[in-house]
Amino acid sequence: MLVVGGSASKTLAEKVSKNLNSEFLSIEKERFPDGEIYVRVLGDVEGQETAVIQSTYYPPNQNYMELFLLLDAVRDLGAEKVSAIIPYFAYARQDERFKSGEAVSLRTVAKLIMSAGADEVFMVDLHAHRIESAPELFEIPARNLTAAPTLGRYIDNEYELEDPVVMGPDGEAKQWAERAGEAIGAEWDFMVKKRLGPKEVEITPRELEVEGRDVLIIDDIISTGGTMMKAIEILEDHGARDMYVACTHPVLSDNALENVRNAGAKEVIATDTIESEISKVSVAPVIAEALRQ
Ligand code: R5P
């Protein structure tokens, strides 16, 4: 297998190729004065199974365009099988038509990935709450991988957690709390969140028993940090000891990281689906394992 690293995921792609013990192909990318991009795959993919890895975080439109060009190029250059790996999958929020006339961006992007030449697709902790499973979106094999157990194990190994509880800051994060809790053999639970506006959330605790215990709060995304800050506040009110915060995708808009730290997080840890100063955990082994299968 060959691994092609798009410009948004070069380091991660190199790690995946090392994990797979396979060849890494870098790309040449240039930008024309009008904003168009030019890409060239530096290597021969003919007759080879080829994985193209490209996250689509900021700027999502450019990163998607680069992904489409790369998928189409490797298909056109004769790759035997083309796997699209999109660790951070943008445009997943709009997974339904809420008002008439709206574009359902998640479905549009799925169609574009297929038509660009992908034979299979992998994503990590897809941020689409109303779509139960990724395969529903695609007419090709598709898997939604998760980083939650890896994040849980990292925090459990790095820090001496006292009687830990793993907590999802809202109902949607139940899946990640459960996976991380099971990975480290800890109890897990989740909280109930209501979004009041783009920057305002209200979190109500469930039956929490966190007094005197260390808590790992885990979610798919930290964007403004509002969800995590509220969760920390509530858990603190319930007597939690140290709070460790983890997410798969560190979107980290504005002062999100500083705000979550100031709210009382002892550590804030994320993966490298998006490169950031808190990307301490790599999803490379998770992606490599999926490609191996
Ligand atoms: C929402 O449903 C997600 O799972 C995250 O909880 C959310 O995206 C976090 O956003 P923010 O950091 O802006 O509260």
Side-chain angles (χ1 to χ4, degrees):
M1 172 170 285
L2 301 175
V3 178
V4 175
S7 65
S9 297
K10 185 169 184 282
T11 311
L12 173 58
E14 280 171 329
K15 288 183 184 163
V16 171
S17 75
K18 277 202 185 100
N19 260 271
L20 288 169
N21 210 10
S22 64
E23 195 183 338
F24 171 75
L25 299 185
S26 52
I27 64 155
E28 190 182 323
K29 178 181 169 187
E30 289 189 41
R31 182 186 299 272
F32 292 99
D34 62 358
E36 286 181 9
I37 55 168
Y38 158 98
V39 292
R40 178 178 167 220
V41 178
L42 301 175
D44 184 9
V45 298
E46 191 171 354
Q48 304 274 356
E49 290 191 7
T50 306
V52 176
I53 306 186
Q54 170 81 335
S55 256
T56 53
Y57 55 85
Y58 188 83
N61 300 349
Q62 281 179 32
N63 286 331
Y64 262 124
M65 193 62 204
E66 181 181 326
L67 172 71
F68 301 144
L69 293 174
L70 288 172
L71 290 172
D72 194 37
V74 296
R75 159 67 66 222
D76 199 38
L77 290 163
E80 190 194 312
K81 179 181 175 192
V82 182
S83 306
I85 321 311
I86 308 153
Y88 178 72
F89 195 112
Y91 282 105
R93 284 189 188 90
Q94 185 84 22
D95 55 3
E96 229 178 77
R97 179 165 294 123
F98 302 99
K99 294 184 200 149
S100 69
E102 282 180 347
V104 184
S105 61
L106 179 58
R107 292 194 185 278
T108 308
V109 163
K111 284 181 209 159
L112 290 169
I113 292 164
M114 289 187 286
S115 63
D119 294 308
E120 63 177 2
V121 60
F122 297 96
M123 57 218 89
V124 184
D125 292 327
L126 179 74
H127 184 83
H129 298 133
R130 284 158 292 271
I131 292 180
E132 287 297 313
S133 56
E136 201 186 309
L137 292 171
F138 293 91
E139 287 150 22
I140 54 175
R143 273 183 69 193
N144 185 20
L145 310 173
T146 182
T150 317
L151 280 164
R153 281 191 290 269
Y154 175 87
I155 291 188
D156 192 41
N157 291 335
E158 287 291 310
Y159 308 98
E160 302 221 333
L161 303 182
E162 184 87 20
D163 193 14
V165 184
V166 181
M167 190 66 66
D170 56 27
E172 285 127 5
K174 170 178 178 272
Q175 54 185 309
W176 299 298
E178 180 175 8
R179 301 291 299 275
E182 281 174 358
I184 64 170
E187 285 187 322
W188 59 271
D189 198 0
F190 62 96
M191 301 162 90
V192 181
K193 178 175 88 175
K194 196 168 144 198
R195 189 166 279 284
L196 305 175
K199 294 194 170 176
E200 216 187 333
V201 290
E202 178 188 85
I203 297 186
T204 336
R206 278 170 29 104
E207 278 306 303
L208 303 173
E209 284 174 29
V210 296
E211 191 161 359
R213 303 174 77 177
D214 286 343
V215 185
L216 161 58
I217 317 172
I218 188 163
D219 206 353
D220 57 343
I221 294 178
I222 298 178
S223 178
T224 63
T227 303
M228 285 299 188
M229 286 159 65
K230 283 279 178 193
I232 290 169
E233 189 187 316
I234 304 284
L235 290 165
E236 210 160 50
D237 286 350
H238 283 73
R241 205 169 154 267
D242 291 338
M243 276 169 280
Y244 297 83
V245 165
C247 72
T248 304
H249 311 295
V251 172
L252 302 180
S253 47
D254 303 323
N255 298 324
L257 182 55
E258 199 184 333
N259 292 342
V260 173
R261 284 181 174 146
N262 289 342
K266 185 153 178 162
E267 282 295 346
V268 189
I269 303 288
T271 80
D272 54 357
T273 60
I274 299 175
E275 285 297 340
S276 76
E277 63 176 288
I278 57 164
S279 299
K280 303 274 167 58
V281 176
S282 182
V283 290
V286 175
I287 292 171
E289 185 51 33
L291 285 168
R292 246 182 240 114
Q293 285 169 12

